[in-house]
Every structure is written in structure tokens, then in C-alpha cells.
Amino acid sequence: MTTPVPGAPRILLVEDDEVIRETTQLALERYGFPVDTAGDGLEGLERFRAAPPDLLLLDVMLPLLDGVGLCRRIREESRLPILMMSARTEPIDVISGLEAGADDYVVKPFETAVLVARIRSVLRRTSFEPDPPSPAAVPGPAHPVRVIDDLEVDTGAMEVKVAGRPVPLTPTELRLLLEFTAAPGVVMERQTLLERVWDYSWGADSRVVDVHVQRLRAKIGAARIETVRGFGYKLRRTP
């Protein structure tokens, strides 16, 4: 058994197929990740609550509690990164998982190197924190607060408010909103968002963007983000 790299992110793998579970665990451990496993959705929920991991990797099709249900339950309690696995590529599987709160998905079968790249990408974009203040800094706000109508985004504290009310966002949703608020009124193409938010420099599935925009709209107001057909999305500003 490979010794995990000290300080490496710990992964909880929830997969009911014993062969896939064991081979995936071994493969990830070879890359230095410590991996805990569960064979069904309920066991996965119990292990998550007993020892929250740094990333959750789960299959869509699970006994007792399926992957979409497990994802939804965990999203009610945590913002940890969630990567879903599916042997099926039908849109309903992908969309259901993303709507439940997953940050990304990977289709089985996959090469270990591809899975590890996706894991590292998810961890990168969900682990950012505000920069610590410099001791020599001049007193005052170190980061600007972006205000678009009654939407406020504190880029230092990484907090979002709508009409003064705090709005909890997942790290991926927050990264997406930061892109929009950096250039209100400017159309953001899906491929540009995939590159900046998801770290994809190749033609990934644009449905990942579409579903996350849908989730963001539900939290900050549907009318704020406008669809520009054939191009992408833009954050609206009231004239």
C-alpha cells in the first residue's frame, strides 16, 4: 500500500462496485491521496459526518441512497468539493448531479491521470481564501467590495449579500460570480468561463457552466444574469 503524502487532501470515495472502488482507491493512493471508502450512499453519508473529507468522489448510481440524493444531503451541510462519476452520459444524469450541487463530473471508464487532473482542478478552484492582511498595510479595506445595484461581493472576505442579506455560495459558484462582477454588462463566453472558473483549456462540456449559472441565478436573482444566445452570459446592471 502506498503511503499518502503528508498534508495531501483526503478523499472520500463512494462507489458500490467493489472492483472499481478498490482499483480507484489504489490508483489515487499511488498519487499520494489518502482515501476513505464507502459502498453505498448511506454509508457514505455516515463517513462524511464522522470525518469530513477534503473532497467527495461519488458514483451517480448507488444503493440505499443514490449519488444525487447523497450530494444534495451533503450540500445542505457543507460546501466541500464534490466530483461525481457516472458510467452514463445522458444529459439527465449530468444535469441532475450538477443541480444537486456537484462541482464537476467525470464519465467512467476513465484514465487515472484524467481523474487526478479533475480532482486537482476542483481542489484548486474551491480552496482559495482571502489574502491575509500585511502588517505594514495602511489601515482600511484591503480588497474592494463590488456593488452592482443591491448585490454586494466582498472580494476580501469572499462574502456575498443581496439587499443586505448574506447569500451562501459554494466556492465554484463564488468564482463564477467573481468573473461576472469583474465586468458587469460584458458578455462572458462559455469557453472563457470554463477556462477561468474550471481551469479547462480544452472544449469541456458547457452544460457545467449552464447548470452553475442556473444555481447562481436561484441564489442571487434570476434576472441578474442574462443569457446572450449563441455567445454566453452577462451580469445585468440596472440603468
Side-chain angles (χ1 to χ4, degrees):
M1 181 176 177
T2 305
T3 302
V5 175
R10 189 168 59 84
I11 296 173
L12 173 58
L13 168 63
V14 188
E15 167 64 66
D16 62 314
D17 186 302
E18 184 176 356
V19 173
I20 295 177
R21 185 171 66 248
E22 291 182 357
T23 55
T24 302
Q25 179 182 10
L26 289 172
L28 292 176
E29 287 176 343
R30 290 193 189 101
Y31 277 83
F33 294 104
V35 180
D36 296 328
T37 65
D40 62 65
L42 289 181
E43 182 186 4
L45 184 60
E46 291 173 359
R47 289 187 178 276
F48 158 75
R49 287 173 172 168
D54 296 299
L55 180 138
L56 178 65
L57 178 63
L58 71 157
D59 190 24
V60 171
M61 301 299 293
L62 294 170
L64 302 183
L65 177 64
D66 68 17
V68 173
L70 175 59
C71 182
R72 188 173 290 112
R73 293 276 289 275
I74 289 177
R75 265 293 168 259
E76 293 173 354
E77 306 176 23
S78 173
R79 299 195 302 168
L80 92 162
I82 299 177
L83 181 62
M84 300 196 78
M85 303 180 293
S86 175
R88 302 182 300 178
T89 58
E90 287 86 347
I92 189 64
D93 294 326
V94 174
I95 292 173
S96 295
L98 294 171
E99 286 181 341
D103 293 284
D104 205 349
Y105 76 97
V106 62
V107 177
K108 298 187 292 187
F110 44 73
E111 295 291 334
T112 302
V114 173
L115 176 61
V116 170
R118 301 292 276 273
I119 288 173
R120 288 174 174 165
S121 177
V122 171
L123 287 170
R124 265 198 311 275
R125 68 175 180 265
T126 58
S127 63
F128 68 102
E129 297 177 353
D131 296 330
S134 170
V138 177
H143 299 268
V145 176
R146 300 173 184 174
V147 180
I148 295 91
D149 300 325
D150 62 350
L151 172 67
E152 298 179 25
V153 181
D154 188 327
T155 61
M158 294 300 174
E159 295 175 347
V160 176
K161 294 181 180 180
V162 173
R165 177 179 58 85
V167 178
L169 300 178
T170 67
T172 302
E173 291 165 353
L174 180 53
R175 277 190 179 277
L176 184 60
L177 183 59
L178 288 172
E179 291 296 330
F180 283 127
T181 56
V186 176
V187 177
M188 308 292 291
E189 295 184 354
R190 289 176 175 84
Q191 184 58 40
T192 299
L193 293 171
L194 283 169
E195 293 174 3
R196 294 181 180 177
V197 179
W198 282 267
D199 295 333
Y200 290 160
S201 58
W202 44 275
D205 190 344
S206 64
R207 289 175 297 182
V208 173
V209 176
D210 296 336
V211 175
H212 274 83
V213 167
Q214 177 182 328
R215 282 166 43 183
L216 190 56
R217 281 171 167 163
K219 293 183 177 182
I220 68 170
R224 294 184 193 275
I225 302 177
E226 179 182 345
T227 301
V228 181
R229 294 190 180 278
F231 293 94
Y233 300 96
K234 69 177 180 180
L235 184 69
R236 298 180 60 183
R237 183 195 291 271
T238 302

